[in-house]
Amino acid sequence: MEIYLDANATTPVLPQAREAALAAMADDFGNPSSIHSTGLKARALMDGVRARARRVLGAGGGRLLFLSGATEGIQTAVLSALGALRNAPIKPELLLYGATEHKAVPEAIKHWNALLGLNLQVLPIPVGPDGRHDLDWLRARAPRAGLVCTMAANNETGVISDLDGIEAALAGSTALWMVDGVQALGKLPLRLAERRIDYAPFSGHKLYAPKGIGLLYVRDGAPFTPLLAGGGQEGALRSGTENMSGIAALGAVLAALEDGRTFREHATLVAFRDRLAEALQQAFPGLVFNAPPELCLPTTLNFAVPGVSSKLLLDLFDAAELRVSGGSACSAAKAAPSYVLEAMGLPAWQTASSVRLSFGPVADRAFIDEACARIRICGESLRDSCLDPNAPSQALPADGLTRFIVDGACCYLLADADSRRAVVIDPLPELTERLAQWLRCQNYELAAVLDTHSHGDHASSASELLAAVRQHRGDVDGLGWPRGTDAIALGAQSLTRLAIPGHTQDSTAYLLHDPQGLRLAFVGDTVMPGALGRSDFEQSAPQRYGASLRQLEQAVGPHTLLLPGHDYDDRFASTLAVECVAQPLLAEVLGGRVDDADFAAAKARLEQGLALTEYQTVACGARIDSGCPLSSSELTLAELTQMACQHAGLVLVDVREPYEQRLGQAPELGRGVKREAVALSGLPNALARWTALPAETPVVFFCRSGNRSAQAAQALRRLGHERAWSLSGGLALWPRITAAADAAFAI
């Protein structure tokens, strides 16, 4: 059973809320605007829920509108306030919102400010390191403000706003005040009637009601402009036939709030949060909480682990069936630091690596126990993979090749478990600490740190890596190769070198041999998937490039796997045979149809005016086949099941990382299916073996979501194995055995 710890994004529907919604659909389905008995029953239901909401929110005589959710409520409130300001005899100068507000608030303010032609200055209210508003700043500007928007509690950090302090700062100001109450519902007493709050939007799906139903509180006397005009529903304040099933479900949730049994009391929730916090600290010893717990909702924790990315943690938790998030669900798909934590002035590593854990107020002790147990298991898996720099490890010796990629640039770690030696090829500055941590954790000797050439887009970090592991550089050449050495031994494997000047004068390939012969070659930027390394740098040798390519072909042949220094399109590897098809110029120079001078001239024409990459780095080659995508490799679960029945030799490959694989596997597909675990970062270890499979053998990759497996399938297809597939949706869409709905609800 999954443990859902992302309640600030959304919640499941309370069982009694589901029942109420179904009953409204089946029995009380009337239109509340109708005057016959069925319509009157629906009207009575709606009026009863409104009355209950008034009690729960302490709304007094204010108006309560049913609408689709908080976003519509925010839009309505902002339109109402700004519409009134447009007609005010003395126009204000400022529109203010909390710097940590949900993006729906500043976007609504900017939208209506422009559309209504007010063009007032829009300013964020600063917050301190604790996430609370700067009340002195607000007090100084409140007299010039027409609208002030703050939240009751922050959705990312759980920080509770000082609403009484904000109200005091607004004393003497005529500004209208909107309070986003979404995260407060069911967790904080808002006392709307006791405060000067003019507008307060709420969303049902944040507290066990269905999506698509919400509330907007409007204080008596506050200006109001309908966002939706039409049939005059909700007293002509919000037109559109009411969502009766949603209203009924919301009513059931409000009833549960009043019964005093369904939802846990504050002290119990605080104890649950403290237990989760303790489990997190045990699992990740260096963990830092990004907001003071005593100022936060008892159901929210926001944290970061030094040296561990939020993406890695999210994948890790997801593999353990723990659902957490990297911040607001509305921006989770965007790879950007948290603007909430940035506004709090936290260090960059915290803003970029934050994880949010949130549970709902109906959670029980068994749920928290299971969550804590899984969190601790996640910590063990991270340590066993040498990925937590803050904790000791007892990892099993690693073996084989691992690829790292930063903004299209590739770095390779080649490890041998028998000799406990490792080689790093094309080290990147961003990876120094991670590689050093891995080497210290594994207790491997760093046999060499090699560069394939003098890089144009970054400096080699070989010296920094050696210093980090306290190892002397020794007598090596400019690329890190030990002088007087023909080969570097790694147990039964060895590396030799081959000079291939062209991209740069010192360009070098490193050839990896095992007892069966040549296994693969690290070729830097000389040959990249879909491109040849550019040769217009000051340190390039364009006239020697053609000869070097022929020398490379003589050394490795057409089908040896080539690992590039840059991989902008996630193709992982290539061969000369594949690249000759993709790049006609390469085929011509290797086939002797163009001499070295003409080859250099043709390359120069390709490289004229090369733009920066999408990462705003120097492009290391002119890509010429990126416009020829391969056919779709996605396979549904039903199609995979059918394929497994038809092909006894089907190979099913888990490309999740080892720290994820340790925490759970996909269910069995049946006899005859060969299962493998080859992490995406280690894909080059197996690509050559898979390309040697019979052409009719299906190879199906899966991961958590389908993104990484799609990369693997496309990479294998490009190398010539056309029956390579990716499981669409990954394990996220794989059916799993769950407990009964009501038993699984306590989240």
Side-chain angles (χ1 to χ4, degrees), residues 592-605:
R593 295 185 293 277
V594 60
D595 63 23
D596 292 350
D598 288 342
F599 173 75
K603 274 190 90 276
R605 289 191 293 272

Side-chain angles (χ1 to χ4, degrees), residues 462-549:
S463 297
E464 290 81 357
L465 178 56
L466 287 163
V469 295
R470 299 182 180 180
Q471 188 169 323
H472 296 295
R473 189 170 178 84
D475 185 17
V476 298
D477 64 17
L479 297 180
W481 188 268
R483 298 185 191 277
T485 301
D486 294 328
I488 297 174
L490 287 171
Q493 302 179 100
S494 64
L495 276 176
T496 60
R497 68 185 315 196
L498 175 69
I500 45 173
H503 175 59
T504 62
Q505 295 184 30
D506 60 358
S507 287
T508 300
Y510 299 108
L511 312 183
L512 180 63
H513 308 264
D514 63 18
Q516 285 72 46
L518 179 62
R519 181 179 161 199
L520 53 83
F522 303 92
V523 295
D525 290 339
T526 296
V527 180
M528 296 181 288
L532 296 174
R534 62 193 296 178
S535 50
D536 60 348
F537 296 133
E538 183 178 348
Q539 67 268 37
S540 295
Q543 299 300 323
R544 301 175 66 186
Y545 209 132
S548 291
L549 289 170

Side-chain angles (χ1 to χ4, degrees), residues 270-343:
V270 169
F272 285 171
R273 181 190 63 190
D274 291 346
R275 290 186 57 212
L276 288 167
E278 181 183 6
L280 286 167
Q281 290 171 317
Q282 291 172 349
F284 312 106
L287 178 143
V288 174
F289 291 108
N290 293 324
E294 64 274 11
L295 296 181
C296 296
L297 292 171
T299 53
T300 304
L301 290 166
N302 190 296
F303 61 90
V305 180
V308 183
S309 71
S310 58
K311 182 185 183 306
L312 189 155
L313 286 172
L314 293 176
D315 288 344
L316 179 70
F317 282 125
D318 215 51
E321 301 285 346
L322 282 165
R323 309 300 182 226
V324 300
S325 70
S328 169
C330 300
S331 58
K334 303 170 186 174
S338 165
Y339 72 89
V340 170
L341 300 185
E342 286 182 329

Side-chain angles (χ1 to χ4, degrees), residues 219-549:
R219 182 180 57 81
D220 279 342
F224 188 87
T225 299
L227 179 67
L228 298 176
Q233 289 86 352
E234 291 293 276
L237 300 179
R238 197 272 188 184
S239 292
T241 302
E242 293 88 349
N243 174 6
M244 290 307 301
S245 59
I247 291 171
L250 180 60
V253 172
L254 296 173
L257 282 173
E258 286 192 305
D259 70 19
R261 299 185 304 273
T262 304
F263 291 84
R264 311 296 170 215
E265 61 183 9
H266 182 83
T268 300
L269 295 175
V270 169
F272 285 171
R273 181 190 63 190
D274 291 346
R275 290 186 57 212
L276 288 167
E278 181 183 6
L280 286 167
Q281 290 171 317
Q282 291 172 349
F284 312 106
L287 178 143
V288 174
F289 291 108
N290 293 324
E294 64 274 11
L295 296 181
C296 296
L297 292 171
T299 53
T300 304
L301 290 166
N302 190 296
F303 61 90
V305 180
V308 183
S309 71
S310 58
K311 182 185 183 306
L312 189 155
L313 286 172
L314 293 176
D315 288 344
L316 179 70
F317 282 125
D318 215 51
E321 301 285 346
L322 282 165
R323 309 300 182 226
V324 300
S325 70
S328 169
C330 300
S331 58
K334 303 170 186 174
S338 165
Y339 72 89
V340 170
L341 300 185
E342 286 182 329
M344 293 166 61
L346 298 187
W349 75 266
Q350 282 177 256
T351 67
S353 303
S354 64
V355 172
R356 179 185 69 185
L357 181 157
S358 54
F359 59 96
V362 301
D364 61 15
R365 184 172 299 278
F367 173 82
I368 297 298
D369 287 345
E370 181 63 22
C372 290
R374 294 195 199 183
I375 287 169
R376 293 187 180 96
I377 291 172
C378 286
E380 293 173 6
S381 181
L382 203 65
R383 290 189 293 276
D384 289 345
S385 301
C386 289
L387 289 172
D388 188 347
N390 313 287
S393 169
Q394 296 181 348
L396 295 174
D399 199 40
L401 183 66
T402 303
R403 182 185 94 145
F404 305 89
I405 190 161
V406 178
D407 294 346
C410 301
C411 167
Y412 300 95
L413 171 64
L414 182 60
D416 180 72
D418 293 333
S419 63
R420 305 297 289 242
R421 284 164 60 88
V423 170
V424 174
I425 297 174
D426 285 335
L428 296 167
E430 297 87 346
L431 298 173
T432 296
E433 287 305 317
R434 182 172 178 182
L435 292 170
Q437 154 66 17
W438 187 93
L439 289 161
R440 288 192 294 264
C441 174
Q442 288 281 351
N443 195 27
Y444 273 36
E445 175 193 354
L446 188 53
V449 184
L450 307 174
D451 283 284
T452 54
H453 59 285
S454 302
H455 303 284
D457 62 341
H458 67 272
S460 170
S461 58
S463 297
E464 290 81 357
L465 178 56
L466 287 163
V469 295
R470 299 182 180 180
Q471 188 169 323
H472 296 295
R473 189 170 178 84
D475 185 17
V476 298
D477 64 17
L479 297 180
W481 188 268
R483 298 185 191 277
T485 301
D486 294 328
I488 297 174
L490 287 171
Q493 302 179 100
S494 64
L495 276 176
T496 60
R497 68 185 315 196
L498 175 69
I500 45 173
H503 175 59
T504 62
Q505 295 184 30
D506 60 358
S507 287
T508 300
Y510 299 108
L511 312 183
L512 180 63
H513 308 264
D514 63 18
Q516 285 72 46
L518 179 62
R519 181 179 161 199
L520 53 83
F522 303 92
V523 295
D525 290 339
T526 296
V527 180
M528 296 181 288
L532 296 174
R534 62 193 296 178
S535 50
D536 60 348
F537 296 133
E538 183 178 348
Q539 67 268 37
S540 295
Q543 299 300 323
R544 301 175 66 186
Y545 209 132
S548 291
L549 289 170

Side-chain angles (χ1 to χ4, degrees), residues 67-83 102-113 115-116 147 149 178 199 201 215-216 224-228:
L67 30 66
S68 63
T71 298
E72 184 187 340
I74 289 166
Q75 296 288 330
T76 304
V78 172
L79 170 63
S80 298
L82 269 58
H102 191 286
K103 285 295 185 184
V105 172
E107 292 303 315
I109 293 174
K110 294 170 186 175
H111 172 75
W112 291 111
N113 186 38
L115 199 63
L116 296 174
L147 174 64
C149 299
M178 185 188 81
Y199 310 100
L215 285 167
L216 175 63
F224 188 87
T225 299
L227 179 67
L228 298 176

